[in-house]
Amino acid sequence: MKIVVIGTGYVGLVSGTCFAEIGHEVICVDYDLVKINGLIDGVMPIYEPGLEEMVVRNFARGNLKFSSNIAEAIKDAEIVIIAVGTPTNSITGKVDLSYINAAAEAIKANLGGDVIVIMKSTVPVGTCAGLSLLLNTDSKYICRMVSNPEFLREGHAIDDFLNPERIVIGSDSEVEGEIRQLYADHLKRNIPILFGNFPTAELIKYAANTALAAKVALMNEIACISERVGADITKIVEGVGLDSRIGNKFLSPGPGFGGSCFPKDTKALLQIAEEVDFEGYLIRAITKSNENHMTNIVSNISKICGDLSGKIITILGVTYKANTDDVRSSPAINIINHLLEMGAVINIYDPEGMSGAKNIWGAKINYCKDPYAAAKNSNLAVILTEWVQFKEIDYKKLSEEMLEPKIYDLRNVIDIKEPPKGIKLYKLGING
Ligand code: NAD
Ligand code: UGA
């Protein structure tokens, strides 16, 4: 099928490339010329394992193209996928739909025939119905609108896209034939597909992200209780996760959930509830719990170090999780900003997040070439991201660089059974 993807970010680039991989003809469009020109030259705008080879392979065989000319790209399209951002508006606190609306206007203005428009961005309930109306009012062509939320995770995006646990489709018109053709490769492998109306599909996406965020927030609270009562959170995670009704995934405590989706989507779900006069007590508590958790971590750091003024704190990991370069809404932002306010000097190292960090902090913090340089003369090293590279650090050597050999491991990176000698190790959820 001839597909155009609008928005060449984490979701758009991965979806477009994977649809090309399974045999469709895809044009990925973005108004960011630097991204598009880079992609044409084989330069990836994001770090995502396995993506580069797949982009280069499909670009070379001609079924994946990149363009900044939306008018030219969509005139022959059978399917147009919207994959632009839906961030939280910093003033209103609501979902910013301006990118979605701009993409829809561009589609309407440039159509060359009837088309199916698929919404892959995460959008509030009512958005797809509104766009269906907009696209079909005073238009020469019929636009069948489809809600098809995306569930991929950064760092696992290609596998998640090609082997999802389900495909969710919402529509108000007959699209099943074309959707089955689009996902033929998935369906022949018996991946479940669910059809429903727009609000059902839109709400499934928010419900899934909020459920996962709730699990993480709960285990972060349990970890705080665990360390106060002398329990071991790693054993608790195992003991709870062996209950198949709960499952063993998304139970790992850490510095708080972050990223461009969990924080914004739990807030958006609360607004969806408010708009229908429903008080979502539990949903509200998830955001509060997560923010409170980061405040607790800062207070623990200040208990470990005493007065933070002039103290050097090494931060290992600024991305919101491992295997991504994404620092959007990373817990590191909240934690580092508080430490800076308290007068600490911050040295950071992250395998992929340094350029994102420079955009946030500029000259306010120090960027180091490796973990050992980041530990130089430091009073405490804090592990915020579970990068596999941090498991391979020689912590003995690291501690020798430090003024005070203290490490606060918030991701259970350091094996408690073999704690490096001479180091005072603090772990989330484990006392002593
Ligand atoms: P992103 O910021 O990485 O990418 C969005 C891209 O869209 C940018 O390159 C931007 O330049 C481009 N863009 C914006 N408006 C445009 C327009 N009118 N025309 C052309 N290009 C335009 O965003 P993302 O992380 O890929 O997220 C996209 C959507 O998918 C969001 O709604 C998000 O909630 C959802 N989502 C994200 C993930 C994820 O892991 N990042 C997973 C599932 C769903
Ligand atoms: C999440 C969902 O997992 C995807 O299904 C969804 O498509 C995506 O959001 C989205 O809508 O954008 P992602 O944000 O890439 O994916 O990352 P996750 O792996 O879900 O992690 C989110 C946050 O929770 C991270 O900060 C991570 O460190 C934290 N987390 C996760 C934990 O602290 N503990 C865990 O056990 C799992």
Side-chain angles (χ1 to χ4, degrees), residues 2-152:
K2 289 187 175 165
I3 302 172
V4 169
V5 182
I6 303 180
T8 309
Y10 288 88
V11 168
L13 181 56
V14 170
S15 309
T17 305
C18 290
F19 276 132
E21 177 78 8
I22 57 179
H24 297 294
E25 280 176 56
V26 180
I27 308 177
C28 286
V29 178
D30 205 294
Y31 55 28
D32 182 338
L33 265 172
V34 177
K35 251 183 208 186
I36 292 300
N37 289 336
L39 281 160
I40 290 169
D41 291 339
V43 180
M44 296 304 108
I46 53 170
Y47 170 78
E48 183 61 46
L51 183 63
E52 185 170 348
E53 302 87 281
M54 203 181 267
V55 167
V56 170
R57 184 168 63 242
N58 284 286
F59 185 74
R61 63 176 180 158
N63 57 338
L64 177 62
K65 299 195 170 92
F66 297 103
S67 170
S68 54
N69 186 341
I70 189 164
E72 184 59 28
I74 71 167
K75 62 181 193 329
D76 297 326
E78 293 169 80
I79 292 192
V80 179
I81 297 176
I82 301 179
V84 301
T86 48
T88 308
N89 180 303
S90 57
I91 298 160
T92 62
K94 294 191 169 174
V95 180
D96 178 355
L97 287 174
S98 59
Y99 302 97
I100 297 282
N101 293 334
E105 293 292 354
I107 294 170
K108 188 170 181 179
N110 294 296
L111 277 183
D114 295 348
V115 77
I116 291 181
V117 174
I118 294 184
M119 179 60 70
K120 267 221 173 283
S121 300
T122 304
V123 290
V125 172
T127 307
C128 288
L131 290 187
S132 178
L133 194 64
L134 173 102
L135 290 167
N136 288 296
T137 304
D138 302 327
S139 171
K140 271 202 286 189
Y141 302 111
I142 297 168
C143 250
R144 281 173 292 161
M145 188 75 209
V146 171
S147 166
N148 173 210
E150 180 49 54
F151 299 98
L152 64 78

